[in-house]
């Protein structure tokens, strides 16, 4: 008998769907109307032994409590801040994620956002499409990256990959995190100091309670009216209200954002600003990376039910 899974969220490629269907009995929550989801879980929950979820969907204590036979939660993503470890760990429920396979594409997007903001690519695109170029409408220049300082908030896998890429543009790299990284970059004494010492602040730290709203008004003010904030981590790391005010009042130069506080809802005050570049949480959204992520997530499930070591287990002590 194939093990039963509850699938939360969406975003994996067709090949992953096929792998899941071949090895498991799949109960998909996403297509179920919101009003019917509680009844759906009531109907299938007693047989569910595994959950296949996304980094954004995770799993909370209330849902986990309705799955009495749950053994493993496989996260299709690297972030596990939406997983309630306090609810899962006492029950011995395993958690896995998909690190490394998405590092390069997420880092590439971080650099693309930074370049888009510094060289004003969205504005240039509109300038051409609207006929403003042909009409000889004045155009504001962009900013060069060479000689500027990129401050990396969180020098983990993705942060290191971003730093390596930005070095090739002639940028100086600084970073801040609680621990000292094994990399030849200068570590600022605090996040506030990093912001003050940087032209571009790139947020790569994990989400969760410890990092919630860490990019607040003092940090944004330290980055300053010539500074640019880039966030490819989690929307929860940035005080979005403070960010909007900093942009509106000219205390921050620009922002380039792939993640938001209440996705997919993005404040109109961000959507309407000319000095903000926005993408819809697509750091890992390439065919190659989503395929690799899905294969790894499925491999974790298969290993568990075959009683083999988990390829990428996440411990409750260090989620994400």
């Amino acid at each position: 008998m194939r093990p039963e899974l509850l699938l939360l969220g969406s975003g994996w490629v067709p090949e992953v769907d096929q792998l899941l269907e071949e090895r498991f009995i799949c109960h998909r929550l996403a297509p179920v109307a919101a009003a019917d989801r509680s009844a759906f879980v009531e109907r299938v929950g007693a047989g569910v032994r595994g959950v296949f979820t996304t980094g954004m969907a995770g799993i909370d204590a209330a849902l986990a409590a309705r799955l009495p036979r749950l053994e493993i939660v496989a996260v299709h993503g690297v972030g596990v801040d939406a997983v309630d470890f306090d609810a899962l760990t006492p029950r011995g429920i395993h958690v896995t994620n998909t690190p490394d396979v998405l590092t390069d594409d997420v880092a590439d997007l971080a650099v693309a956002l930074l370049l888009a903001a510094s060289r004003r690519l969205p504005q240039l695109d509109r300038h051409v499409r609207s006929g403003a170029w042909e009409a000889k409408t004045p155009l504001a220049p962009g900013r060069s990256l060479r000689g500027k300082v990129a401050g990396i908030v969180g020098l983990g896998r993705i942060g290191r990959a971003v730093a390596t890429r930005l070095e090739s543009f002639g940028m100086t790299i600084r970073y801040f995190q609680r621990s000292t990284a094994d990399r030849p970059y200068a570590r600022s004494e605090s996040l506030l100091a990093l912001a003050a010492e940087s032209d571009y602040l790139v947020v790569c730290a994990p989400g969760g309670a410890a990092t919630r709203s860490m990019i607040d008004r003092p940090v944004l003010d330290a980055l300053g009216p010539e500074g640019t904030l880039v966030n490819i981590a989690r929307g929860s790391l940035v005080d979005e209200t403070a960010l909007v005010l900093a942009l509106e009042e000219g205390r921050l130069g620009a922002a380039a954002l792939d993640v938001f506080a209440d996705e997919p809802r993005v404040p109109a005050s961000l959507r309407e600003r000319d000095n903000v570049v926005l993408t819809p949480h697509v750091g890992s959204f390439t065919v190659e990376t989503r395929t690799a992520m899905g294969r790894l997530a499925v491999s974790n499930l298969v290993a568990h039910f075959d009683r083999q070591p988990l390829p990428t287990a996440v411990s409750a002590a260090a989620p994400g």
Side-chain angles (χ1 to χ4, degrees), residues 5 36 54 146 161-162 207 243:
L5 299 183
D36 299 328
T54 66
R146 186 165 298 279
V162 171
L243 172 61

Side-chain angles (χ1 to χ4, degrees), residues 10-36:
S10 59
W12 42 88
V13 297
E15 177 186 324
V16 175
D17 271 325
Q18 183 178 347
L19 290 172
L20 289 168
E21 292 290 348
E22 288 172 353
R23 295 297 303 257
F24 307 101
I25 297 171
C26 297
H27 304 291
R28 301 172 185 272
L29 190 63
V32 179
D36 299 328

